[in-house]
Amino acid sequence: MNAKISFRDVVKTYPMKDGTFTALDHVSLDIADREFVTVVGPSGCGKSTLMSMAAGLVEASAGETLVDGKPVTGPGPDRGVIFQQYALFPWLTVRKNVEFGLKLMELPAEERRRRAERAIELVGLSDFADALPKTLSGGMKQRCAIARAYAVNPQVLLMDEPFGALDALTRVQLQDQLLDTWSQDQRTVMFITHDVDEAVYLASRVIVMAARPGRIQRIIDVDLPYPRTEEMRLSPEFGRIRNEVWHAVYHQAPASSAA
Ligand SMILES: Nc1ncnc2c1ncn2[C@@H]1O[C@H](COP(=O)(O)OP(=O)(O)OP(=O)(O)O)[C@@H](O)[C@H]1O
Ligand SMILES: [Mg+2]
């Protein structure tokens, strides 16, 4: 497999008063170039920790994380990160927030503007391009944060529960629009969610993690073609996969009795 992101035997431990806490216990996973994977699992199973390693924000205690076959040593413009909590500059307009990431890339002003415009349009915020974040709803702020990541046009998108705080309708719209840009721009996406429906709808593979210690419990293939449609959500096949993921997440055996 042509792996874009490889986690190889990754271990993450934290020192505790009474010994060490193992947040990730020998996790190995290859994500193919242009693949869309989702990661689900109970709170505290290490989803964010794993993704932060690919982002270059957290160092492993053992093992390594590779992007394009090279060890990750820090953040880079090839990887865009979107967190659940939108982090916008309150004193900058939507447009300036979106352009901010591009300034670091030293693009000409005209190109910056063009890219920001397109990203803002993609997330449906064109009418609010000159608004300040404090005048936007939570969902609109999150769309602005998403536009900022899209504008950089990274090869890899790392998304940590990006739609978690959004209402159901906005969420479904952003899911479809994310799939659109993913198929057009040929990105690799690693997407963390607590929502099993969302995990199945978006991904070609769902990575199910387990806690204590954090590890990969199962990987479930989603054998539904792209583009995904509303009808698919209601199909028996979708229901079957969703039940399988649900079962893997919510009926986990403790580590000691796991195979
Ligand atoms: N800096 C730290 N020091 C000590 N323990 C930490 C630290 N960061 C994370 N942990 C622990 O590592 C485990 C994994 O955390 P992580 O945030 O990756 O979980 P998660 O799967 O993303 O959970 P959630 O679904 O709640 O976001 C948790 O038990 C957490 O308490
Ligand atoms: Mg998390």
Side-chain angles (χ1 to χ4, degrees):
M1 178 161 83
N2 182 13
K4 185 75 181 175
I5 307 172
S6 290
F7 299 100
R8 295 210 179 138
D9 238 353
V10 168
V11 175
K12 183 67 186 177
T13 54
Y14 290 105
M16 302 285 276
K17 274 197 293 253
D18 47 357
T20 56
F21 173 80
T22 305
L24 289 174
D25 188 23
H26 296 279
V27 172
S28 292
L29 173 69
D30 278 343
I31 301 175
D33 192 19
R34 299 172 190 182
E35 197 182 6
F36 200 130
V37 301
T38 48
V39 184
V40 295
S43 184
C45 68
K47 302 180 295 294
S48 297
T49 306
L50 189 65
M51 203 181 89
S52 301
M53 286 178 183
L57 300 170
V58 168
E59 247 183 283
S61 311
E64 57 180 358
T65 304
L66 310 175
V67 171
D68 286 326
K70 294 183 212 78
V72 172
T73 54
D78 59 327
R79 284 154 289 142
V81 188
I82 301 172
F83 297 104
Q84 177 169 13
Q85 280 309 326
Y86 29 81
L88 301 177
F89 298 113
W91 60 89
L92 296 180
T93 63
V94 165
R95 190 194 312 280
K96 295 290 178 200
N97 263 288
V98 174
E99 280 189 19
F100 186 83
L102 301 172
K103 280 204 177 131
L104 304 176
M105 294 173 75
E106 293 174 5
L107 293 168
E110 186 51 38
E111 171 71 5
R112 280 208 305 269
R113 207 172 168 81
R114 201 186 56 74
R115 284 215 206 176
E117 208 77 44
R118 175 170 178 256
I120 290 168
E121 196 184 315
L122 267 175
V123 299
L125 278 184
S126 297
D127 290 345
F128 299 89
D130 297 310
L132 286 170
K134 68 175 179 208
T135 67
L136 304 177
S137 72
M140 290 158 87
K141 283 184 210 163
Q142 183 62 326
R143 284 190 269 158
C144 180
I146 291 166
R148 191 168 56 188
Y150 283 176
V152 176
N153 199 18
Q155 293 173 14
V156 174
L157 267 185
L158 303 169
M159 308 178 82
D160 194 349
E161 300 185 46
F163 306 154
L166 305 180
D167 67 279
L169 180 62
T170 306
R171 192 172 182 140
V172 165
Q173 286 169 343
L174 287 182
Q175 286 168 2
D176 282 331
Q177 178 253 307
L178 171 62
L179 285 178
D180 276 356
T181 60
W182 167 71
S183 58
Q184 279 168 35
D185 298 340
Q186 314 257 307
R187 295 201 175 100
T188 307
V189 183
M190 181 178 182
F191 185 109
I192 298 173
T193 178
H194 272 113
D195 182 328
V196 171
D197 276 70
E198 180 169 80
V200 174
Y201 187 69
L202 293 174
S204 58
R205 282 194 300 162
V206 181
I207 316 298
V208 181
M209 292 182 68
R212 292 171 195 284
R215 62 202 188 276
I216 294 178
Q217 165 100 354
R218 267 192 75 188
I219 297 180
I220 296 171
D221 289 324
V222 182
D223 286 324
L224 295 169
Y226 291 101
R228 301 275 161 90
T229 61
E230 279 308 301
E231 293 80 68
M232 274 183 209
R233 283 186 201 268
L234 305 171
S235 70
E237 179 63 1
F238 188 94
R240 190 191 62 71
I241 300 166
R242 182 187 41 217
N243 291 347
E244 202 176 332
V245 174
W246 187 270
H247 191 82
V249 175
Y250 293 101
H251 300 277
Q252 293 185 346
S256 50
S257 63

